[in-house]
Amino acid sequence: MIKEQEQNMGHQDTLCINESTLKHPWYYHLKYLAAGIIFGIIFVKAEVISWFRIQEMFRLQSFHMYGIIGSAVLVGMLSVWLIKRFNIKTMYGEPITFTSKKFNKGQIYGGLIFGFGWAITGACPGPLFAQIGTGALAVSVTLLSAVAGTWVYGYFRDKLPH
């Protein structure tokens, strides 16, 4: 089935292997909107969206953001370990699979570009919408730039070395 998907949709690394094939009514996805709103409120209260906090992090003046990012990494590691250890499945009984990814130097370049953009704009893709929601409308430029950059990458993806 995966080979068939590859032929129909492109490269394997562009597919979500764990994606459910179940179809749901439009209101089914409102729970994700609610989770996003709650996540945004947490970002605001934890000052994750603060341009000043982000600048402090990049200037190595404060541990605040490193503590938040580090705790997120630890929660992610623990979650993956638990999923693998107890063979946890999705809510619909589908297996959750993890595939190994091959390292390539483009990840270093991409990470540097991402980090420079984050340092310059004071915005990361995670809290962009929370920043806009708090009235920092100038961040809309960053959002549009992120969308444009994603589109440009998608357009030239087949021509880039991987």
Side-chain angles (χ1 to χ4, degrees):
M1 179 171 165
I2 291 177
K3 289 290 182 192
E4 182 180 306
Q5 286 176 334
E6 285 178 2
Q7 291 171 353
N8 294 337
M9 298 180 72
H11 300 293
Q12 174 62 32
D13 58 353
T14 62
L15 298 176
C16 179
I17 301 172
N18 295 326
E19 185 175 12
S20 175
T21 57
L22 300 174
K23 301 296 179 203
H24 302 285
W26 69 270
Y27 56 84
Y28 173 83
H29 300 291
L30 289 177
K31 64 185 173 191
Y32 301 114
L33 176 64
I37 290 170
I38 292 168
F39 199 54
I41 291 169
I42 292 169
F43 271 4
V44 171
K45 295 296 183 184
E47 297 182 358
V48 172
I49 66 166
S50 168
W51 184 87
F52 298 105
R53 287 289 189 184
I54 293 168
Q55 288 301 306
E56 284 178 340
M57 176 184 69
F58 282 107
R59 292 179 181 162
L60 303 174
Q61 295 172 337
S62 173
F63 182 75
H64 181 83
M65 291 296 288
Y66 292 113
I68 291 172
I69 293 168
S71 63
V73 169
L74 289 175
V75 168
M77 289 171 55
L78 178 63
S79 299
V80 169
W81 180 78
L82 288 171
I83 289 169
K84 288 180 175 182
R85 174 82 166 89
F86 296 107
N87 199 22
I88 297 174
K89 298 186 181 335
T90 67
M91 293 184 344
Y92 303 105
E94 299 166 324
I96 298 173
T97 58
F98 296 94
T99 55
S100 298
K101 300 199 190 283
K102 183 180 173 189
F103 175 79
N104 96 39
K105 64 182 176 183
Q107 295 164 336
I108 300 294
Y109 300 134
L112 287 171
I113 292 169
F114 178 86
F116 289 143
W118 191 10
I120 290 168
T121 63
C124 167
L128 275 178
F129 294 103
Q131 287 175 313
I132 293 169
T134 61
L137 298 180
V139 178
S140 299
V141 174
T142 305
L143 175 63
L144 292 175
S145 298
V147 170
T150 303
W151 182 86
V152 168
Y153 172 76
Y155 186 81
F156 290 108
R157 184 178 193 280
D158 291 334
K159 297 170 184 68
L160 297 172
H162 284 95

